[in-house]
Structure formats: C-alpha cells, structure tokens
Amino acid sequence: MLCRMAQWSPIDASELATRIKARRRELGISLRSAAAEAGVSPATLSRVERGDYLPERDNLFRLLRWVGAPVAEPSGPAEPHPPGAATMEAIELHLRADKDLTADDAETIAQIVRLAYERLRRSDG
C-alpha cells in the first residue's frame, strides 16, 4: 500500500484562501487585478481562492507577502519538506514537488526508492 504525504507549508490552504478573498474585498479589485499585484497568474489565484490548493513555493510566498502574512521564507534552496523530516519522507516530498513528474510517476519512483532503501538499510544492520 502506498502512503500519501501532505506537502509541508507555512499556512493552511483554506486559511490562505480566506486571507486572499478578504484582501481582494478590502481593495475592491478583480481576481485578475489581484493576481497581477501579487505576481501570480489569474488561474493560480483562482485555484488558491477555492481553498483546496496551495501553489508551489515561489507563488506561495508571493501570495503570503501580498496578503501581509508573516513570511519566514528560507534563505537557502527550496525544500518541499519540513525541517527534520525523515530521509524517505524528504525524498518522497521532493519527488512530488518535481514539476517534470506526474503524480503517478512520482509515486512509482518513491515506491522503488522506498523498497531499495528498506532493503539496503536492513543489510547494513
């Protein structure tokens, strides 16, 4: 059985949607205008406003800054996993964050790596 792990994020999708809608109402602007101000595409903003989607890291931080949320953006390279994540968890999250892989392909690779990791880890003990 394959497990699904949620991607780590500094904010919940529904909370971000609520903040974006409130900010747009406050400014009295359209979705297209808000997207232009925030630096994201209208399609991305529309998906986020539904409350069940978080965009990739760069757009997420653009939106957080636009709504005035505190942003503790890492200064180093983008890491799609929380600090201290286990090795397999980090690998799986990196695969799922890869824009060149479909979700099914990322899961297949994760399963292969998981099996190899378990086999090699046991052989070292």
Side-chain angles (χ1 to χ4, degrees), residues 27-106:
L27 297 173
I29 59 175
S30 69
L31 186 134
R32 285 190 180 283
S33 294
E37 278 190 18
V40 300
S41 73
T44 295
L45 189 59
S46 176
R47 288 180 70 192
V48 172
E49 276 197 356
R50 285 196 314 257
D52 60 356
Y53 171 77
L54 283 173
E56 51 83 21
R57 178 184 181 261
D58 291 339
N59 282 340
L60 175 60
F61 285 110
R62 284 183 190 109
L63 291 170
L64 288 171
R65 282 190 292 273
W66 187 73
V67 298
V71 178
E73 185 171 358
S75 58
E79 296 293 343
H81 59 81
T87 301
M88 280 310 306
E89 180 183 12
I91 291 169
E92 290 177 25
L93 290 170
H94 275 279
L95 288 168
R96 288 187 182 91
D98 189 323
K99 294 177 186 176
D100 295 326
L101 296 174
T102 66
D104 287 341
D105 291 343

